[in-house]
Amino acid sequence: MKRDMIKIGDIDLELHEAGEGPPLLLLHSGQGFSPDDPYVGMLAKHYRVIAPSHPGFGYSSLPEWMDAIDDIAHVYVALIDRLDLPSVHIVGCSIGGWIAAEIATKIMRRIDKLIVVGPEGVKTGRRDELDIPDIFAVSQEAMNRMRFHDPVKAHVDLSKLSQEQMRVIARNAETLSLLVWEPYMHNPKLRHRLHCLTMPTLFLRGASDGLVTADYLERYAQLVPGALIETIPEAGHLPHIERPEAFVAAVTSFFGRGA
Amino acid sequence: MRAWHFSENAYPFLPPTDEYESIRVTLPNRLYDPVKGAELYDRFLTEWQIAEEEGVNIMLNEHHQSATCVDPTAPLVLAALARLTSKARLLILGNPIANRRQPVRVAEEMAMIDVLSKGRLEAGFVRGVPTELLPANSNPVRMNERHWEALDMIVQAWTGHDGPTSFEGRFFHHRNINIWPRPYQSPHPPIWVSTTSPGGAGQVGAHGYIQATFLTGFKGTPAIYDAYRKGWREAGRGIDVPVNRLAYAAMVYVADTEAKARAGAEKLLWYVTANKISPWFRNPPGYSPIEANVKMMLGDAAGGGFGNFGANSTIDGAMANGTMFCGTPDQVFGQIKNFYHHVGGFGNLLLMGQAGFLDHEETVAGIRSFARHVYPRLKEEFPDDAISGRRDAADAAASE
């Protein structure tokens, strides 16, 4: 996978790119982007996969003025313009899905089709109940159970990581705090803007996702005209990691096979 | 040397630790009996009044959603103390301004207490421990930046006297700042800032504010004071740093015999031992610097803001660390003198003099023994106008 640093405004953005075919903007979850994850190569067989590290994640810089998911969406609107993409598919996982939804409210006509995977971003439930469990108030074990169908797969062997990798992990976690702490995991404005989404949209969810429930996803999808919902069995919050074949099959069936 | 009696307003009547997850953040308040709580407030206020009678100053702090410190709105207690006392300096250490939404409101509270107490306020500001973040719903990232911006805004509110001013910062905005009352002291009450890291201390020194550090001991304190003095000098405040700019908080218990002192000190250890906290509350992402988190992942650091507390859980361990001064008046005087010279001198001793089940009589006995038999010697030996630390920057560098 090709890796570049490009300048968008005052941001140094890390950009990964691979494959040929219809352009597909791939927006990672709060744990950051790993080009070696199997689903990435599988997608690159069909599409020109363009995968930035969000500002504050990976090696992308984080200017001090940025503190919201919507700020990142604005960066990617500029990126799509910079790459001269008249139209693009977007796949966003978890907060990447939230970013994708924010982008879609700004440049709806430039997006061919949109897939959001276990997305956060809206508040639809009761005000005295969190829509998304508080990820800052649970143990690592509980988080692993919410993120994975098989929590054993969540295990990270710290002894196998370089200090540089640890630095990226710590920085990703810090940026995630900055972006989702308050309002917790949502932008109160977003739900009122989703009515203008004109592109075909798929809401995808792992059946065992403990963070984004089926009810939440359904209420979210109802805000988007004509949105479809699909579930990937035996997967948690990160189906692209846990079930790459099933995930890529869902993507290609919705987008078409491309190259 | 000035001494300050500090009590956290703890609520110690809890079930055994294995029956709850965390003494902070999640402990259900059904475990708090308001009747017992009212008695405790009465008692702690009385103890501060006794400290004043003994010539000792008063210090209080603020925590939220925690049994270790049931003083979530310290300015309220301070307002009561402003009326219950008449001589003692009143130190709040402090206002957690990175977690407060409206700095102007804090400026108003402090100005009002300064007037109520006729100019006895010492206004402290703290960044706060990690367990304050969820209770305040406050973002762990960029706390330091919020802290300093809020403090600048508070000073602006205190010092503007010619009608409204405005402040449009990165985090805080206020178009019409024109507080009534203005502070009693001019230009404003003395400002204190607590920090337990050299990086923070450098900034405090550059501002010339009074620097307090808690339980950082023989090991951590010299680097913090060095950083303060370096920041002070680099900001052009002169070569000499007065000792009255530096403060140190330790557990202190004095009695006429060593055995009695150790019995009291044993109970003070509640500060350190009643500290069961769910690990995920100790270090929310963004609270500690990236490099500190890398060290934690490498297993080099215990993690979180309470990392060094474990070693202090015995009297001998705490005394060896320099986080506790305990014994007869002669012994305690010697221990403080030793610590004073080890760190280069400090002018304010913050006495953590009540904790957990140390009862009223024991607390008062500790305050009195200190005030009558140690404090006069400290005042004589360590005058307030002494100079702290090495004067030569090369000496400071050599010690690193």
Side-chain angles (χ1 to χ4, degrees):
Chain A
M1 204 165 196
K2 191 170 72 129
R3 176 182 172 274
D4 281 314
M5 297 298 295
I6 66 163
K7 195 94 181 167
I8 302 280
D10 58 353
I11 298 156
D12 295 307
L13 195 71
E14 180 183 41
L15 195 63
H16 303 271
E17 212 176 320
E20 284 171 17
L24 186 161
L25 182 64
L26 178 60
L27 302 178
H28 65 75
S29 74
Q31 70 174 30
F33 182 71
S34 309
D36 300 334
D37 284 337
Y39 78 97
V40 179
M42 292 156 86
L43 284 176
K45 287 183 184 150
H46 304 284
Y47 310 100
R48 174 186 169 198
V49 175
I50 302 160
S53 292
H54 310 326
F57 291 83
Y59 291 91
S60 292
S61 68
L62 180 73
E64 67 86 31
W65 61 267
M66 292 191 92
D67 56 19
I69 288 287
D70 195 39
D71 295 334
I72 296 176
H74 279 278
V75 175
Y76 293 153
V77 168
L79 175 69
I80 290 166
D81 219 45
R82 172 74 65 84
L83 297 177
D84 214 10
L85 306 174
S87 69
V88 62
H89 293 311
I90 304 185
V91 176
C93 304
S94 186
I95 64 158
W98 176 1
I99 298 168
E102 300 272 11
I103 297 170
T105 64
K106 301 177 205 309
I107 49 166
M108 51 292 260
R109 291 179 195 286
R110 268 178 110 160
I111 298 171
D112 276 341
K113 291 184 180 177
L114 171 66
I115 300 178
V116 290
V117 186
E120 301 87 3
V122 295
K123 171 74 189 172
T124 61
R126 295 156 52 111
R127 73 176 180 188
D128 62 350
E129 214 170 72
L130 294 176
D131 285 16
I132 311 288
D134 191 343
I135 62 169
F136 301 106
V138 294
S139 66
Q140 191 58 51
E141 294 69 36
M143 266 300 279
N144 293 344
R145 282 196 300 277
M146 291 193 285
R147 288 165 67 235
F148 283 84
H149 173 74
D150 177 6
V152 175
K153 292 183 186 150
H155 180 70
V156 176
D157 187 352
L158 286 178
S159 68
K160 294 216 167 81
L161 297 179
S162 69
Q163 287 196 36
E164 197 45 41
Q165 287 170 312
M166 291 179 184
R167 204 165 282 125
V168 169
I169 289 172
R171 186 161 175 269
N172 290 352
E174 175 173 312
T175 306
L176 185 66
S177 274
L178 175 73
L179 297 173
V180 308
W181 190 276
E182 186 194 8
Y184 180 64
M185 289 286 185
H186 73 285
N187 171 1
K189 308 286 173 67
L190 178 60
R191 62 171 298 164
H192 304 287
R193 296 171 177 164
L194 292 171
H195 66 88
C196 67
L197 268 57
T198 46
M199 73 296 296
T201 301
L202 174 65
F203 281 73
L204 203 54
R205 176 180 171 271
S208 306
D209 190 338
L211 291 167
V212 169
T213 64
D215 279 353
Y216 178 81
L217 198 78
E218 200 178 320
R219 295 196 302 264
Y220 201 158
Q222 278 168 7
L223 297 165
V224 177
L228 303 176
I229 296 179
E230 260 184 53
T231 305
I232 296 182
E234 293 178 15
H237 187 57
L238 307 168
H240 51 298
I241 305 289
E242 200 166 8
R243 297 281 319 279
E245 291 88 359
F247 171 78
V248 172
V251 172
T252 52
S253 115
F254 189 68
F255 285 167
R257 288 199 163 264
Chain B
M1 175 85 72
R2 292 188 299 175
W4 308 75
H5 172 66
F6 167 35
S7 158
E8 276 212 302
N9 282 5
Y11 186 88
F13 309 116
L14 303 176
T17 49
D18 56 2
E19 290 178 23
Y20 61 81
E21 281 271 315
S22 178
I23 196 168
R24 300 171 189 238
V25 190
T26 55
L27 190 67
N29 69 13
R30 66 168 177 272
L31 297 172
Y32 179 84
D33 175 351
V35 175
K36 283 185 190 165
E39 287 166 9
L40 282 176
Y41 282 142
D42 266 345
R43 195 197 125 185
F44 295 138
L45 286 165
T46 302
E47 288 165 8
W48 273 310
Q49 289 175 278
I50 291 168
E52 179 189 50
E53 282 166 22
E54 297 292 332
V56 176
N57 295 300
I58 288 170
M59 171 186 155
L60 62 156
N61 71 337
E62 173 170 321
H63 282 286
H64 300 84
Q65 306 187 10
S66 172
T68 61
C69 173
V70 192
D71 194 353
T73 55
L76 294 184
V77 180
L78 204 59
L81 282 166
R83 296 291 296 165
L84 290 169
T85 64
S86 61
K87 304 191 300 270
R89 302 290 301 170
L90 303 174
L91 168 60
I92 177 170
L93 195 59
N95 295 284
I97 45 176
N99 297 341
R100 300 245 346 229
R101 305 292 164 131
Q102 210 193 43
V104 171
R105 167 73 189 216
V106 178
E108 288 171 330
E109 290 166 1
M110 293 299 102
M112 194 172 170
I113 289 164
D114 200 34
V115 174
L116 268 174
S117 67
K118 299 189 175 70
R120 290 183 288 126
L121 175 66
E122 305 266 337
F125 300 92
V126 299
R127 180 184 166 190
V129 295
T131 45
E132 294 295 302
L133 289 161
L134 274 174
N137 215 57
S138 187
N139 203 307
V141 187
R142 299 178 179 161
M143 281 185 89
N144 200 41
E145 290 86 343
R146 293 201 302 274
H147 172 91
W148 285 103
E149 185 174 303
L151 185 46
D152 287 346
M153 195 174 185
I154 288 165
V155 171
Q156 180 176 321
W158 280 343
T159 53
H161 306 307
D162 302 315
T165 63
S166 61
F167 188 107
E168 294 178 306
R170 165 67 178 88
F171 303 102
F172 301 104
H173 307 259
H174 214 111
R175 288 211 302 287
N176 201 92
I177 303 174
N178 184 32
I179 63 167
W180 283 70
R182 65 183 168 102
Y184 194 93
Q185 298 174 84
S186 180
H188 54 72
I191 293 173
W192 298 52
V193 176
S194 70
T195 177
T196 51
S197 77
Q203 259 177 306
V204 184
H207 285 81
Y209 299 150
I210 301 170
Q211 152 77 55
T213 184
F214 289 76
L215 302 181
T216 40
F218 287 111
K219 200 170 163 206
T221 312
I224 293 168
Y225 286 1
D226 278 345
Y228 180 93
R229 292 184 284 252
K230 189 161 178 271
W232 170 283
R233 288 171 187 142
E234 284 176 2
R237 298 185 174 276
I239 295 296
D240 291 341
V241 180
V243 287
N244 65 28
R245 298 289 96 188
L246 295 166
Y248 181 66
M251 297 176 277
V252 180
Y253 200 83
V254 185
D256 54 6
T257 69
E258 198 178 333
K260 271 198 250 174
R262 288 182 72 95
E266 191 69 43
K267 294 187 178 181
L268 277 186
L269 290 173
W270 194 90
Y271 262 124
V272 184
T273 55
N275 201 28
K276 182 180 180 186
I277 299 170
S278 308
W280 48 95
F281 294 137
R282 288 178 182 269
N283 185 32
Y287 181 85
S288 303
I290 304 285
E291 291 311 314
N293 279 294
V294 170
K295 279 188 185 166
M296 286 175 218
M297 281 189 240
L298 288 167
D300 286 353
F306 300 99
N308 65 343
F309 261 43
N312 294 318
S313 58
T314 65
I315 292 178
D316 293 326
M319 286 175 66
N321 283 348
T323 57
M324 173 180 272
F325 305 127
C326 153
T328 64
D330 275 349
Q331 289 171 323
V332 170
F333 174 73
Q335 291 159 18
I336 295 172
K337 184 175 175 178
N338 183 28
F339 191 84
Y340 182 100
H341 290 302
H342 179 81
V343 300
F346 60 98
N348 295 281
L349 180 63
L350 311 176
L351 306 150
M352 303 168 82
Q354 196 285 324
F357 296 99
L358 194 74
D359 68 24
H360 179 67
E361 284 69 30
E362 293 162 331
T363 304
V364 170
I367 294 170
R368 289 200 166 121
S369 301
F370 171 84
R372 294 176 187 183
H373 307 298
V374 182
Y375 194 19
R377 295 173 67 184
L378 292 175
K379 284 197 268 200
E380 196 185 326
E381 180 96 4
F382 306 116
D384 286 338
D385 57 359
I387 300 304
S388 176
R390 306 168 197 86
R391 288 158 187 247
D392 188 337
D395 286 351
S399 77
E400 278 162 16

